[in-house]
Amino acid sequence: MPAERLDHFMARANAAYYAGRDPFADFTTSPEISQVFGEVLGLWAAVTWIGLGKPTPVLLIEAGPGRGTLMADALRAIRQAVPDFAAALQVHLIETSPTLRAVQATRIPDASWHESLDSVPETPFVLLANEFLDALPIRQFVRRGQGWAERWVVDGVLEERPAKAGVAMEIWHDPAAPPQEGAIRELSEPALAFVRSVAERLARRPGAALILDYGPEHRMFGDSLQALAGGRPADPLAAPGTADLTAHVDFSALADAAVAAGAAAHGPVPQGIFLARLGLFQRANRLARNQSMTRAAAIMEAARRLGEPDMMGRLFKALALTGAGAAVPAGFEA
Ligand code: SAH
């Protein structure tokens, strides 16, 4: 293989990975842990739609829907609790993997599919994205002397090359705490572009977006690229396409990009706090009622996995985007 910049390598590896056999054998995401996750997000979408003044029609968009579990759970809760939202909405899914599109079609047959947000009609919308941005390619820069080197992949090994002039402008650093020699900074251009295009839509149309993913609240230095294969950490650079490659989401960079593009950003709020505010544990309790002891315990354990700080409750965060000046969305109250 010729030398590839890290983001180009990651794009190629993940495209092969998500197009391959069922990727979800290798990792477990929140919607696959508990049905309550998608239900709560569906109700968030409904409450948000009501807050927007019930625009009709409205698009319920999901980016990176995986097996379609989140959307199927969300739609079931919406039909039950807010039937007028169910009647007003059209489902649009942003998914590049043909394999996963086919899986999604079995769960949500009347959806429309898109390669990117660009082809989604210009209509009021509520957008959900869970563990979507962490799968988008990152570039990595390494502090060398007074400048930055960039990481490339050559035959499964990282190699540093001088970063292109001007790129330092895109790399955040705090003037009060200059990066140490060897410090690593990550940049996901596709994640920033996605958030910018959502924000530009929000500047033109009523709408809201809810992004859930893992990463620190504030910008940090460090290498967060990781690979999972068969549920275990793997070498991210070996055998592209056989492991799921992800990286921390840079929430502060995304919030700044959204605001610069004319939207408002709310949060990030730790996932556990967000889900608890929206009634995760009450819903889980209700679901556990009239079940066998074993089943009830499993339902409550799954809810704890999503919400407890030492499990997914703290590392995962929720970030909401709305039009500038719109009301604070549910779960993001100070
Ligand atoms: N949201 C799901 C799946 C997360 S995995 C869940 O929580 O279970 C990431 C998802 O994003 C997969 O569906 C993958 O195929 C999709 N994806 C990855 N890169 C993409 C891209 N550039 N454009 C659209 N979808 C992408």
Side-chain angles (χ1 to χ4, degrees), residues 272-323:
I273 293 177
F274 175 72
L275 293 176
R277 283 177 176 169
L278 292 178
L280 170 76
F281 294 105
Q282 289 88 332
R283 263 194 100 76
N285 252 318
R286 209 173 320 139
L287 186 65
R289 241 181 256 159
N290 306 324
Q291 303 284 340
S292 71
M293 287 268 283
T294 322
R295 174 87 186 109
I299 290 169
M300 295 315 292
E301 174 54 25
R304 271 196 296 280
R305 221 173 131 186
L306 299 179
E308 289 289 337
D310 58 343
M311 300 170 105
M312 295 172 81
R314 197 194 332 255
L315 177 59
F316 282 73
K317 311 276 186 315
L319 175 73
L321 308 178
T322 63

Side-chain angles (χ1 to χ4, degrees), residues 38-71:
E39 292 171 358
V40 162
L41 265 47
L43 296 177
W44 183 89
V47 167
T48 301
W49 173 70
I50 294 168
L52 291 171
K54 300 189 173 184
T56 303
V58 60
L59 309 186
L60 183 57
I61 308 171
E62 187 181 357
R67 281 180 174 157
T69 308
L70 191 169
M71 185 56 83

Side-chain angles (χ1 to χ4, degrees), residues 17 124 182 246 334:
Y17 178 76
T246 61

